[in-house]
Amino acid sequence: MSSRFAYGHNPHSTGHVINTVRTLMRTGGLDVSLTAVARGCGTTRNFLYANWKSASALHLRALRTEVAQAFDTAQRVRPSDGTVPGITAHLTEVVRTVRRHPTTAAVARTSPEAFSAACTATEGPLVQTATERVSDVLHPLCPRGGVWGDPELGSRPWKILWIARPAALCPEAVGDEVRENTLDNAFAELLRDLLAPWSTGAR
């Protein structure tokens, strides 16, 4: 998009458009249309089409923002100290945040097939965003070179994402304390196993 739309509080700014989409998706999921976004933004459908081409492109951008926000929220609630226990607690909080997010439930309700596909997706912008954020969290385990400085550690982000998704993409468990605890504990146990080689004194 042109830089003139990148900043500012006006109907045409990227931030305003994406924030509007995020808000609408929290109830409408993937059923949010360009017309609804245009109405919510105070702009026109033609403007949105000229810059975004489709509602799907807006949905994807909004979801990527929501994933990043989940990590930021977890960092405030349960920050990682860079150790395996700290990373495990932090990523478990990310999983819980995603599961409890209203957008997760709305997408599951409005687009069950797309939601189901998200559980097995191995590539794409949304998976890439999540993998990059997991890589950032793992970086302290290998300060010299980070995740990509250790071939074994480099294989962990996508493996962590693989085991996180069943626990995160389960909005029907929200409100059931036993079920949520089971999901969180199972994820944390698998994560500890994956990161065991980087536990204190293990390497």
Side-chain angles (χ1 to χ4, degrees):
M1 288 179 64
S2 170
S3 60
R4 72 191 178 96
F5 299 132
Y7 304 99
H9 300 285
N10 64 70
H12 296 152
S13 72
T14 296
H16 177 66
V17 171
I18 298 306
N19 283 337
T20 299
V21 177
R22 289 172 66 192
T23 300
L24 292 172
M25 287 183 68
R26 288 169 191 171
T27 53
L30 298 182
D31 284 346
V32 173
S33 65
L34 281 180
T35 301
V37 176
R39 187 183 307 116
C41 288
T43 187
T44 66
R45 195 175 180 282
N46 287 342
F47 167 80
L48 294 176
Y49 181 79
N51 288 278
W52 299 97
K53 303 304 180 189
S54 68
S56 295
L58 285 168
H59 297 159
L60 179 58
R61 177 70 177 269
L63 287 171
R64 293 179 71 179
T65 301
E66 295 288 16
V67 167
Q69 187 63 47
F71 279 84
D72 293 342
T73 298
Q75 182 61 22
R76 291 192 297 271
V77 174
R78 197 175 295 272
S80 170
D81 60 4
T83 66
V84 169
I87 288 169
T88 299
H90 174 69
L91 290 178
T92 301
E93 185 66 30
V94 173
V95 163
R96 186 180 298 115
T97 299
V98 173
R99 182 193 311 128
R100 294 178 175 181
H101 200 289
T103 302
T104 309
V107 173
R109 183 181 66 253
T110 63
S111 306
E113 291 183 1
F115 190 78
S116 178
C119 291
T120 55
T122 57
E123 58 184 17
L126 195 57
V127 172
Q128 181 181 0
T129 296
T131 304
E132 288 173 353
R133 294 303 293 250
V134 172
S135 298
D136 289 344
V137 174
L138 298 185
H139 189 280
L141 298 181
C142 186
R144 297 180 180 177
V147 170
W148 312 121
D150 184 328
E152 285 186 69
L153 187 60
S155 72
R156 281 350 189 227
W158 72 266
K159 291 179 180 178
I160 290 170
L161 185 59
W162 190 259
I163 65 172
R165 283 182 293 192
L169 302 183
C170 192
E172 64 273 18
V174 175
D176 184 332
E177 184 176 354
V178 173
R179 192 172 179 188
E180 284 207 85
N181 286 340
T182 299
L183 288 169
D184 291 340
N185 292 338
F187 170 69
E189 183 175 352
L190 290 169
L191 183 55
R192 283 191 292 268
D193 287 345
L194 274 179
L195 299 181
W198 293 270
S199 297
T200 303
R203 288 174 74 84

